[in-house]
Amino acid sequence: MTESYTPPKIWTWDTENGGKWASLNRPIAGATHDKALPVGTHPFQLYSLATPNGVKVTVMFEELLAAGHAAEYDAWLIRIGDGDQFGSGFVEVNPNSKIPALMDRSGPEPVRVFESGAILMHLAEKFGAFLGRPEDRPELLSWLMWQMGSAPYLGGGFGHFYAYAPYPMEYPINRFAMETKRQLDVLNRHLEGREWMVGDGLTIADIAICPWYGRLVKGEAYDAGEFLSVHEYENVVAWADRFYARPAVQRGAMVNRTYGPPEMQLWERHDAADFETKTQDKVQAGE
């Protein structure tokens, strides 16, 4: 957009616009092609990619397993760059065509769950885990909803215009940088004197929020750490360090990951042993 841009009377879709991810976006829903989803042997079938929203769910599964719950899962890779999310099988699980999507096959009938926050709530309630104390539930739900409402300003707002837009645009970068820093300040103030977001232990509030904001303050999002002066948010940095020091979190962050060091990429996860035998460094070495 330039200073001389005037919106048309009626908007029409231009496939040439939109930046790096333009080919993935369209103004209509529904499937673009027929493609059935694979189904593994475990009670939970996850179809995802290691974006922050995807990492939330794989971390949740790995934390549940580490705590001794019967939460074995198959994690299938959905390559959104290839349009896998528009296959007919995926659309049946998530009509919104976004990752992650879950089929819970642990009961008499399969149950679909989509939207990462809904998946976290479903699993937490199913296993009675990572929900904190009953008296803390309103606070936990408030922070969970805060993340769901706030992160689009970080990812689709700041991240898009700072890292992915066709060219730098001063107004939206300034607008969303301001909002991102405001959100970091909200977290920083809340985490003063606290180890975790709610109560005295890890909850789904941490699992939902940290893959977005913890990743940002650790310099792993949009190459924007210096631009946003993330070191200023010392409480958020310390909280993120605690979160990512957990072995289950480290495992969860590897699942469905297709970027970074090969030893940190586990494209699909079907067994706990896959972390030792099927990371990309071993696959590439033919082990």
Side-chain angles (χ1 to χ4, degrees):
M1 181 179 293
T2 66
E3 292 181 3
S4 61
Y5 173 77
T6 300
K9 186 175 182 179
I10 299 174
W11 182 87
T12 56
W13 181 29
D14 185 348
T15 58
E16 298 300 316
N17 294 332
K20 181 176 180 180
W21 306 111
S23 63
L24 307 183
N25 299 318
R26 57 197 179 113
I28 57 174
T32 61
H33 59 282
D34 290 328
K35 184 177 181 180
L37 290 176
V39 179
T41 61
H42 295 308
F44 300 98
Q45 300 294 302
L46 178 67
Y47 305 94
S48 192
L49 182 70
T51 67
N53 286 333
V55 168
K56 294 178 196 176
V57 178
T58 50
V59 164
M60 181 66 171
F61 272 119
E62 292 301 325
E63 287 284 358
L64 286 167
L65 290 169
H69 297 286
E72 272 295 347
Y73 70 107
D74 290 281
W76 302 94
L77 179 61
I78 298 297
R79 294 185 179 273
I80 62 175
D82 295 342
D84 290 351
Q85 71 275 30
F86 299 122
S88 56
F90 190 90
V91 173
E92 288 177 4
V93 182
N94 185 355
N96 196 38
S97 292
K98 303 289 185 181
I99 61 91
L102 177 71
M103 287 298 295
D104 179 351
R105 297 177 176 271
S106 63
E109 296 293 332
V111 174
R112 76 177 187 183
V113 193
F114 57 93
E115 291 296 325
S116 57
I119 295 172
L120 293 183
M121 281 297 301
H122 176 75
L123 294 173
E125 291 178 340
K126 189 177 192 73
F127 292 103
F130 303 113
L131 285 169
R133 301 175 304 178
E135 57 266 36
D136 291 331
R137 191 66 51 79
E139 180 82 0
L140 180 147
L141 290 175
S142 295
W143 283 111
L144 181 63
M145 296 304 118
W146 177 87
Q147 184 278 312
M148 301 298 289
S150 297
Y153 291 98
L154 170 56
F158 174 76
H160 174 79
F161 285 104
Y162 184 78
Y164 303 130
Y167 50 87
M169 291 174 252
E170 182 178 5
Y171 176 79
I173 290 174
N174 285 341
R175 170 67 180 89
F176 290 114
M178 178 180 67
E179 175 61 13
T180 297
K181 288 181 71 66
R182 189 194 69 81
Q183 293 175 9
L184 286 170
D185 193 44
V186 169
L187 284 176
N188 202 59
R189 291 170 185 266
H190 174 71
L191 287 164
E192 178 69 36
R194 290 183 170 92
E195 186 173 2
W196 301 108
M197 287 296 298
V198 178
D200 57 2
L202 183 79
T203 68
I204 58 172
D206 302 284
I207 295 172
I209 297 169
C210 208
W212 279 101
Y213 297 89
R215 179 170 169 262
L216 181 65
V217 298
K218 289 179 73 68
E220 298 173 4
Y222 315 122
D223 195 24
E226 182 179 8
F227 180 76
L228 295 172
S229 300
V230 295
H231 67 279
E232 297 174 351
Y233 308 99
E234 295 179 357
N235 298 325
V236 183
V237 173
W239 165 72
D241 287 342
R242 285 190 292 273
F243 183 80
Y244 284 105
R246 297 173 69 91
V249 171
Q250 294 170 9
R251 290 192 297 273
M254 294 170 61
V255 179
N256 299 144
R257 179 170 173 164
T258 59
Y259 61 92
E263 64 271 17
M264 298 300 296
Q265 299 181 36
L266 182 62
W267 287 3
E268 293 188 352
R269 187 266 191 214
H270 303 290
D271 187 88
D274 291 348
F275 291 101
E276 302 298 327
T277 62
K278 294 186 179 180
T279 52
Q280 276 303 293
D281 59 323
K282 294 182 173 60
V283 171
Q284 292 170 4
E287 297 180 16

